[in-house]
Every structure is written in structure tokens, then in C-alpha cells.
Amino acid sequence: MNKENEIAFAEESSGLWATIILPLAVPTNYTYAIPARLKERAQPGCRAEVVFGKQKKYAGIIRSLSDKKPGYPTKDILNVLDDAPILYPQQLQLWQWLSEYYMCTEGEVMAAALPTHFKLSSETILIYNEEAGEDFSNLNDEEFLVAEALLLKKELRLTEVQQILDITHVYPIIKKLIDKKVCHVWEAMDEQYKVKTESYVILNPEYSNEDKLSDLLNNWSQAPKQMELLLAYLHLQKTEGDVTQTELLKKSGASAAQLKGLVEKNVLFIEKRAVDRVKSIAKNVEIDFEFSTAQQESSDAVAKAFETKNVCLLHGVTSSGKTQVYIKLIEKYFSEGKQVLYLLPEIALTTQIIRRLQKHFGGNITIYHSRFNNNERIELWNKIRTGEVKIVLGARSALFLPFKELGLLIVDEEHDASFKQQDPAPRYNARDAAIYYASLFKAKVLLGSATPSVESYYNALHDKYALVELNERFGGIKLPEIDIIDTRQVAQKGKVMICPQLKEAMQKALDADRQVILFQNRRGYNPYLICGVCGFIPQCTHCDVSLTLHKFSNKLHCHYCGSTYPKLITCPACGSNNWLEKNFGTEKIEEQLEADFSKYKIARMDVDSVRGKTAHDNLIQLFEQHRLDILVGTQMVVKGLDFDKVSLVGILDADGLLAFADFRVNERAFQLMEQVSGRAGRKKEQGKVFIQTTNPKHPLLQLVQQHDYKQFYTLEIEKRKEFFYPPFSRIVLLTLKHKDKNIVSAAAEKLATLLKRDLKDFVVGPAAPVVNRIRNQYLMEILIKLPKEPGMSLRYKAAIWNYINLVNAEKNFKGVIVVADVDTN
């Protein structure tokens, strides 16, 4: 908004007021007056430019309109930034529900939901005061530097002031300059999104007449290079249609000067056109496969279930063909003109699935996730809002898209912990939020998994959801055979990385031209080092956690705060250089494989190795095309990937999966081992799986070996009921943070005492977590198990917030941060 166009407060009133959601963690929404000039444009779901605080401007969302005048003075909306709402009422309802259920603010939901370029905030600009003159004798050195620059440029952005002074904290200096009337501050807010344009080359319409074009070509007497360029253009136009300037110059080998000559002669014109940043393909629908009998029965059962239930759980074993069931269902809703959202837990999974779906739906499907840049995300947002895009595949952030006519929502791998947002707020579970979101459209939800979450399976068995089962693999192939290896029996110093039985099986598989996947849920080279003389373990200075050695960077990394440290040569405690390497990560496994299987192609898939927008997709394609023989990785290799030639899977450290102090430990371990086992033998032949452990008699391993989900569920649900864990209760984890250990401990004790007044036995703690200091903040936790009483959830959460506010109101505890995590993982 330009300076001269800014409207001061107290304009002519329209008699309407707007409730505005600001992209800030403020505890309530704020009311602004709508000037008469903006009355027609102000609609719920539009962005409005407002001043919050003293001068800062923000683009907030109009949540609702009212003709009731508030009982306090209000500021005016400065401008409405959109001609049409960028959100529909269903998205605003979803935001409200998320803030209430997950105990956060609507501003935090807005910050997570909208693409960055929609969330505008003003930039501070210093404007030189012409009346100040040029006498800067009363300024100190830093003030003088800024004043001199202002005298020359008249305006300076905050970033420019920081560069001039070579410091980041410049506000005290700016305040002194304002007080001395050298300058005043202006808050400017500009749209960040820019439409992408491209130059197209167009033939002068005069030469669309064949006779005139022939006359032009036959009488061309000079500039032969321009003639060659013109002929190249005519050929491209005939074979490819519209011709861009870049494409023409590249394919013709001509120069920009030659093209300019043709433009000056009025033979060709250059026209700027808006173009999409995300390239689309032809919009066709082609379903070219036939169901197996079991798939057909399951598909029919889902359709029948949707007649009486809005949510259906499809429990299908690994490689049973669930994706094909999804595809047929998508086709049905697409043919009815409805929009479809297909949610996956990880961006990593979308790369393989999108190729399969594009084969059947072409350009009717698009992909949406956080790796798109900000401009690409806005373009996709608008196409979905207008209904131009009907089918969307995405990770959890796709849930916030502004669907217009949502008919079907598929949540694949619904059990996956990655559907739960951790930090920052809102800490929502996309699966549960999807069910609520679908209800606003009266849409259907299909949850799919080979290893459903305990909560979802419980809901299905208790008639809250419909349940459909698909119990056989596509093509009649048996589930993989699983061997459990007792690594205590292996004669090897230190922890066994790859036992002889697994190594022999790997060689047989590779000799048979098959592929191998090895799973280890630890990245890096060594999870931790220990001094062999004094027992010293290198730890992060900001967190109470040991450091992991990464061979690629040759540094010690903290996996909690991201800090890196030089690799230690000598022990800082005793001076010894006798370091013992404990356990092993994916980097070390990769190194061992390169030594043992040197003639084969080996790759690693973890967070460290697949950075970048296309790195993961490239790796997946290499493995699909059998240009890699062995793939070692973390959870990334577990989740729903489909490789035809994988006959062998190795789970290298089952003990590590069973060692977490968490009520979901058995559920997570079963799901991970069953899912990674499911990558083996998906086509033509039964696969083989080796699980390495020091405790082969563990009951969970026996259930994994038998692929017995139902028995696992039976045993697990009994324990959950006994100890009042979900699905029998609703968990709220309160984490308190402060740089002073004593203060955070005292605050936690105080808060727990207050909570027990109302919630009594539902409150557990306070206690320090396993890692009790992260980023120099000490942590304490309070666990609350809320009963699932109808209508009581909001009341309990309101009581929790009330007590948190009481604690924060005390002088000693004002700096204590309290984070609420509902339905924590």
C-alpha cells in the first residue's frame, strides 16, 4: 500500500465490524471497524491489512462480520487485499476446531495453514525528515552513519541499516534518531506473490494470409540469418503450437539481436503471458487394470460401508493392492465432479505414488507439499480453490487447502506417527483432523493401513467406523517368511551389524539378480562414542544428549538442536585417544556394505542423504530401475514403497525399536517391523526377512514373525485399558521450559498441584523427560489422562489453560514456556 493511499483511523463508518485472525500466537482474535469504502469488498475469508500494536501492519484473515458495535474503541481496516475470499467457511471452521481441540491459537493455525506469501507483515522503512537539515553534530558515530545514508538515499529499509552498522539489533539507534527528529518510521507492506510471465513469439496477423506470407518469404532480399530464424519459427509453430522466445532461440541457434530485427520489421511480435510455475500434463483418465477377487470384494464392501458410515478403515496386508482400491474409488468421485484429497504421511512417499496416479488420472491430479516454493504453493492453492484441480496428493499440510467440493478423503498409512505435527503449533494429527474436515463437506473418509493404529482399529471394532479387510496379497503371493536371529550367538566383538546368516542370504539374493533393503532406525556413523579409559561420552553443550558421529561431515552432530562439533581426537577428561564406537548408524552400515559387497551398487536413504527437492525421487527411481542393488535406510524405507525386485529385507537392530520408554512402544515397533517386512517379495515370489535381536523370545517378535496383527491388538488393548491409555483416555502432555532448572521444576510442581484440584488422579507427574535439556532450556513434563466423557473435553482443556495462566502470572514463572500437546505420540 502506498504512503499517499494510507487512510487514517476514524473514516466514515460502514456500521460493520470484522473479527480478524492475525498470524500471531495471540490468545484472542481482534475486532476492527470496516470503513464505508471497503464495505462491499470485506468478506469472511479475505485478507485485510490492519495495524496491530503501535505501528506494525499485518495481513489478517476476516473471520466474521458483525453489525454490533464493540464496547471499546476499534481501529479501522486499512485495506482488503483480495477481490474474492482465499478461504471458504469450511476452512475457517477447521481452523477454529484445531485451535480448540489442540489447545493453540487460531493465529498459530493460520501461520501453519497459509502459504508464506499470503502471510504479509510490514517492513520497517526509515524516512528522512527534510526539516532536520544537515547538521548532525549532536549524533554519535553510529547515528551519524545512518543519518548520512538517509541524507543521500532519503529512505532506508531496516536490513540496510543493519548492513551499514554491521549489527542486527538496531532498534535503540533508530529510536534515538526518531527522538532527535532526524527521521520517522514508515511501515510498508507489499504483496510477495508475483505472477510468472514468459515471452511468446507471435507472427504478425497480416501474414496469416498464405499469399502474403509467401510474398514475404519469396521477396526476402537481405539478412539471411533473420530468414533462417523466421523459417525456424514457422516450423516450430506448425509442429508445437505456441512458441516461447527462449525455446525459439535455443532450437534455432539464433541470437536475440536477430529476433529483435524481425520484431522491428513488424514480422514477429513479442507478447508477455502469464504461465504456470508447476507444469501440468494432459488431462486424461485411464483405468487399465482389473481387480483380483479379493480386491473386488473389498471395493464393494467399502462402497456398501459408505452407505451408512462416513469413515471406513481398510485393513489390508502389505502388497494386497490397497492403492488400486483407492484409484477406483477416486475415479468414482472424480466422475461425479467431486474433489478428492489423498493424504500420505511423508513427502518421501508422494514421489512414487504420484507417478502411479498420473498414469491413471494424468493432469487431473496434482501434488502439494512443503518442498514447493512459495510462489508454486500459491498457484496450486488458487487452482484448488477455484475447483480447477480435482484430485490432490499431499502430506499433512495439504489438509489446509481450500477445497470447494470435497467428496472423498483418503488417509493412506493412517497409523503413521508422521501424521502428527510436533513443532511448532498447531500440534495436530492430520488423520483425526481430516475426519473432522470431511464432516464439514459431508464427505467420506477411507483410512488405509496394513498395521492400523490401535485407536482406529478400536473405533472400527466398536462400530464408530466401518471395517473392511483385505487379507491376501495381490497375485496370491505369501507374506514373507521371517527368521529371528539371536545376535548373542554370533562370535563377534561388539554389537553385531550384519550377522553371517543375513550376509549369506544377501549374497544369494544378489546372485539371483534381486535387490536387498536393510533397515536401521539410526542415522549417522556412530550413535555415540565413549572413552575406553575413563568412560567420558561427548555431549552437546546445549542439550543433555550424547553426540552422533557423522562420517560424511567428519563431525559430531546433535540430533536435537542441530549443533555440530569437531571430531574429538583426545578425550578432554583424561587425554586418552582410545575411543570406543558404540552401536552403528546408517553411514557405518553403508561403509561395511561397500567393503563386503564391493561389486554391487549401494545407496543410503535417510534425512542426511536425500536433502533437496528431487533427491529422494531420484533415489527411488534409481532403485525402481534396478540401477541400485542394496538400499540401507531409516524409517524412510519402511513406508509404503513398492519395489518389484526386493526379495530380502534385514532389520538390523530390533532391540533399538523396543527400548523406548513410551506407552506406544510395542505398537510402533510392531508397525515398523511389519511394514519394512512388507517390502520383501511383493511380486512373483515369497520374500525373506531377517530380524537381528539379543532377545529372540520377546513376545512382540513372535507376533511379527506370524504377521498376527489381531493377536497383537488383543494383547495391546488389554494393557491400554488396565493403565487408562488411549483409546480409553485422551492424553495431554504439558512440557514446561526455562533456562533455569530450579525455576522450571518449581513451576511444574505448582502447575501439577493446581491441576490436581480439578483433575485429581488424571494427572501424572511432574517429571523430567529422558532428554531434560534442549537448546539450553530445561524441561519438565506433566501427563494428563482425560476421560472421554461427552462434552467434557473443552471444559477440561479450559481448566488446564486457566491453571497455566495462573502459573505464568506469578512473577517468578513469567518466563516459563508451557507447551500443550494433545493426543501426543
Side-chain angles (χ1 to χ4, degrees):
M1 188 176 187
N2 296 329
K3 294 192 285 285
E4 57 269 22
N5 292 335
E6 184 177 7
I7 307 296
F9 299 153
E11 285 190 80
E12 182 187 348
S13 174
S14 67
L16 287 176
W17 286 264
T19 301
I20 303 289
I21 305 170
L22 296 165
L24 305 168
V26 288
T28 186
N29 297 321
Y30 289 81
T31 301
Y32 287 79
I34 300 173
R37 65 187 173 86
L38 297 176
K39 182 179 179 180
E40 298 303 319
R41 297 184 60 206
Q43 302 175 60
C46 285
R47 291 175 303 153
E49 182 182 349
V50 297
V51 173
F52 183 70
K54 290 184 178 178
Q55 288 185 315
K56 192 77 173 174
K57 295 177 188 172
Y58 291 93
I61 291 286
I62 299 176
R63 187 175 182 276
S64 61
L65 301 176
S66 173
D67 57 5
K68 284 189 176 180
K69 185 176 182 179
Y72 47 85
T74 56
K75 295 176 181 176
D76 282 355
I77 287 174
L78 300 178
N79 199 5
V80 176
L81 302 175
D82 303 301
D83 294 326
I86 63 169
L87 296 163
Y88 294 113
Q90 291 91 337
Q91 285 86 53
L92 293 172
Q93 285 177 266
L94 175 66
W95 289 14
Q96 183 179 3
W97 181 83
L98 286 169
S99 69
E100 290 173 353
Y101 185 87
Y102 290 103
M103 298 179 67
C104 62
T105 68
E106 284 188 75
E108 289 171 309
V109 178
M110 176 184 171
L114 289 185
T116 300
H117 283 355
F118 276 147
K119 297 176 291 187
L120 306 179
S121 60
S122 60
E123 183 180 13
T124 302
I125 297 175
L126 300 189
I127 310 244
Y128 179 63
N129 180 10
E130 297 290 350
E131 296 177 4
E134 298 181 15
D135 181 10
F136 300 143
S137 57
N138 64 331
L139 306 182
N140 64 28
D141 290 347
E142 290 176 326
E143 294 164 7
F144 179 81
L145 284 172
V146 178
E148 279 282 292
L150 273 170
L151 181 63
L152 294 171
K153 292 190 68 178
K154 305 305 179 188
E155 292 186 5
L156 286 177
R157 295 182 181 273
L158 190 64
T159 50
E160 292 174 315
V161 178
Q162 290 170 331
Q163 289 170 356
I164 290 167
L165 299 177
D166 198 25
I167 56 174
T168 54
H169 191 54
V170 295
Y171 288 104
I173 297 157
I174 291 172
K175 186 176 185 304
K176 288 176 184 176
L177 288 170
I178 294 168
D179 292 343
K180 293 174 182 178
K181 298 188 171 14
V182 175
C183 64
H184 59 268
V185 170
W186 165 256
E187 292 289 329
M189 188 164 73
D190 298 312
E191 286 280 10
Q192 300 297 308
Y193 171 70
K194 298 287 186 287
V195 174
K196 183 181 179 182
T197 59
E198 198 159 352
S199 296
Y200 280 79
V201 181
I202 300 167
L203 184 66
N204 187 329
E206 181 184 341
Y207 299 113
S208 57
N209 181 298
E210 287 190 16
D211 292 337
K212 288 195 174 183
L213 181 60
S214 297
D215 186 54
L216 174 71
L217 296 174
N218 293 332
N219 293 301
W220 198 276
S221 59
Q222 53 186 351
K225 291 288 184 184
Q226 290 183 10
M227 168 63 84
E228 289 176 17
L229 175 57
L230 179 57
L231 291 171
Y233 167 78
L234 293 170
H235 173 72
L236 279 172
Q237 186 192 41
K238 189 173 182 179
T239 56
E240 300 184 19
D242 290 343
V243 181
T244 66
Q245 179 176 323
T246 306
E247 182 185 24
L248 176 60
L249 295 179
K250 182 180 177 183
K251 292 190 176 180
S252 67
S255 68
Q258 289 158 4
L259 177 59
K260 185 181 177 185
L262 286 172
V263 171
E264 288 173 348
K265 290 175 180 176
N266 283 329
V267 176
L268 297 177
F269 297 150
I270 303 294
E271 181 182 275
K272 290 272 188 185
R273 294 184 189 171
V275 295
D276 290 342
R277 288 178 170 86
V278 181
K279 300 300 179 187
S280 59
I281 58 177
K283 292 187 175 184
N284 61 293
V285 178
E286 184 182 353
I287 310 300
D288 57 356
F289 59 83
E290 295 294 328
F291 275 158
S292 68
T293 303
Q295 282 178 314
Q296 187 63 58
E297 289 173 354
S298 296
S299 181
D300 293 343
V302 170
K304 187 168 181 58
F306 279 157
E307 292 175 8
T308 55
K309 290 275 193 294
N310 290 324
V311 183
C312 177
L313 173 63
L314 176 59
H315 177 204
V317 298
T318 56
S319 195
S320 58
K322 293 187 292 296
T323 304
Q324 290 182 325
V325 175
Y326 302 155
I327 288 168
K328 288 270 191 172
L329 199 58
I330 291 169
E331 181 196 23
K332 174 183 180 296
Y333 282 86
F334 175 76
S335 67
E336 295 171 359
K338 296 291 187 181
Q339 290 176 300
V340 177
L341 174 58
Y342 187 143
L343 284 180
L344 288 162
E346 296 267 17
I347 294 171
L349 270 177
T350 60
T351 54
Q352 191 182 45
I353 294 291
I354 191 64
R355 290 197 295 275
R356 293 182 65 182
L357 294 179
Q358 281 177 338
K359 178 186 173 187
H360 300 296
F361 297 105
N364 292 302
I365 186 167
T366 192
I367 188 169
Y368 184 92
H369 53 59
S370 57
R371 282 190 184 163
F372 281 122
N373 67 42
N374 293 321
N375 285 319
E376 289 170 337
R377 293 176 78 183
I378 291 229
E379 287 184 5
L380 289 170
W381 179 282
N382 287 329
K383 286 183 177 182
I384 293 158
R385 179 179 59 83
T386 58
E388 181 182 341
V389 168
K390 293 293 186 186
I391 309 167
V392 180
L393 173 73
R396 64 173 180 259
S397 61
L399 185 68
F400 294 114
L401 290 168
F403 288 95
K404 191 176 184 180
E405 295 178 321
L406 188 64
L408 175 67
L409 217 159
I410 295 169
V411 185
D412 198 10
E413 309 296 344
E414 66 84 25
H415 66 277
D416 200 291
S418 297
F419 276 126
K420 182 72 162 68
Q421 163 80 4
Q422 300 301 325
D423 282 308
R427 295 170 181 84
Y428 66 102
N429 188 310
R431 176 198 63 211
D432 300 338
I435 292 171
Y436 175 78
Y437 190 34
S439 73
L440 301 176
F441 294 89
K442 296 183 170 52
K444 303 298 182 183
V445 180
L446 182 61
L447 309 176
S449 178
T451 53
S453 66
V454 169
E455 289 92 333
S456 291
Y457 201 68
Y458 177 86
N459 285 335
L461 291 182
H462 288 76
D463 206 37
K464 186 174 181 181
Y465 306 160
L467 175 63
V468 174
E469 295 184 308
L470 185 52
N471 292 323
E472 64 178 58
R473 282 188 147 189
F474 187 79
I477 297 164
K478 292 181 179 179
L479 287 164
E481 179 186 349
I482 298 178
D483 283 358
I484 298 174
I485 306 299
D486 185 353
T487 53
R488 293 172 303 178
Q489 306 299 319
V490 179
Q492 182 176 318
K493 185 179 178 182
K495 193 171 181 74
V496 175
M497 194 183 311
I498 303 174
C499 68
Q501 299 97 312
L502 176 55
K503 195 176 290 187
E504 182 183 344
M506 288 174 66
Q507 190 60 62
K508 283 184 180 178
L510 295 168
D511 289 343
D513 198 32
R514 312 307 284 175
Q515 290 172 295
V516 177
I517 289 177
L518 298 180
F519 169 62
Q520 165 66 336
N521 209 27
R522 289 178 183 271
R523 59 192 177 96
Y525 190 77
N526 287 112
Y528 69 96
L529 303 174
I530 184 169
C531 175
V533 175
C534 71
F536 172 82
I537 297 174
Q539 288 203 319
C540 178
T541 57
H542 310 295
C543 313
D544 282 341
V545 68
S546 58
L547 297 170
T548 299
L549 175 63
H550 283 243
K551 189 183 178 188
F552 178 76
S553 63
N554 199 33
K555 289 183 178 179
L556 296 168
H557 290 238
C558 174
H559 287 175
Y560 282 79
C561 70
S563 299
T564 58
Y565 303 82
K567 182 181 176 182
L568 294 176
I569 305 301
T570 58
C571 173
C574 70
S576 167
N577 58 5
N578 178 26
W579 291 105
L580 303 178
E581 297 176 347
K582 293 294 182 179
N583 216 321
F584 52 88
T586 50
E587 279 190 342
K588 192 170 186 179
I589 299 163
E590 184 183 29
E591 180 184 81
Q592 186 65 49
L593 291 171
E594 286 169 349
D596 294 343
F597 299 94
S598 55
K599 68 177 186 177
Y600 297 99
K601 292 185 176 67
I602 298 156
R604 174 167 53 90
M605 186 190 291
D606 56 28
V607 172
D608 303 308
S609 65
V610 291
R611 298 185 188 278
K613 193 172 182 178
T614 60
H616 185 271
D617 191 24
N618 294 339
L619 183 55
I620 293 288
Q621 290 195 55
L622 287 173
F623 201 64
E624 279 180 332
Q625 295 160 8
H626 203 167
R627 290 158 67 186
L628 297 170
D629 301 298
I630 305 172
L631 184 63
V632 56
T634 55
Q635 289 188 41
M636 283 183 159
V637 302
V638 174
K639 301 178 178 182
L641 296 172
D642 188 3
F643 302 114
D644 291 356
K645 291 198 170 184
V646 174
S647 65
L648 178 68
V649 165
I651 298 171
L652 304 185
D653 184 20
D655 301 340
L657 301 176
L658 294 163
F660 292 100
D662 184 83
F663 76 94
R664 296 188 197 271
V665 62
N666 286 337
E667 180 183 8
R668 295 279 182 255
F670 182 91
Q671 288 165 343
L672 278 169
M673 286 189 275
E674 183 64 20
Q675 288 284 342
V676 76
S677 298
R679 302 315 105 204
R682 296 174 72 89
K683 298 285 190 298
K684 297 180 182 177
E685 61 186 358
Q686 184 182 19
K688 184 85 174 175
V689 179
F690 285 84
I691 298 177
Q692 297 182 167
T693 178
T694 59
N695 185 13
K697 301 288 187 188
H698 195 291
L700 191 79
L701 296 178
Q702 309 303 314
L703 296 173
V704 173
Q705 189 174 35
Q706 296 154 22
H707 303 286
D708 195 345
Y709 173 84
K710 290 183 179 178
Q711 182 59 26
F712 153 74
Y713 171 81
T714 301
L715 296 173
E716 184 68 13
I717 204 71
E718 288 174 4
K719 294 293 184 188
R720 298 279 183 96
K721 188 173 184 179
E722 180 182 353
F723 294 103
F724 197 52
Y725 277 113
F728 301 100
S729 65
R730 181 169 284 118
I731 296 289
V732 179
L733 179 67
L734 301 180
T735 303
L736 291 84
K737 305 179 181 182
H738 196 272
K739 61 185 178 182
D740 187 301
K741 188 175 183 179
N742 294 326
I743 289 175
V744 77
S745 296
E749 289 289 349
K750 174 81 174 179
L751 180 56
T753 302
L754 291 172
L755 288 167
K756 286 173 184 176
R757 288 181 186 175
D758 281 356
L759 302 172
K760 300 181 174 61
D761 296 339
F762 301 147
V763 180
V764 180
V770 175
V771 178
N772 65 1
R773 184 171 63 98
I774 298 175
R775 294 186 177 90
N776 292 320
Q777 297 266 6
Y778 288 93
L779 311 180
M780 291 293 287
E781 291 180 344
I782 300 170
L783 188 71
I784 307 170
K785 300 178 185 178
L786 297 178
K788 286 190 167 181
E789 299 173 14
M792 292 298 290
S793 177
L794 287 178
R795 184 181 145 193
Y796 285 133
K797 288 170 185 173
I800 293 168
W801 269 129
N802 182 46
Y803 290 130
I804 290 171
N805 292 332
L806 282 174
V807 169
N808 280 142
E810 292 194 21
K811 185 177 178 182
N812 291 339
F813 303 142
K814 277 187 176 177
V816 176
I817 298 167
V818 184
V819 173
D821 189 1
V822 180
D823 297 340
T824 180
N825 275 339

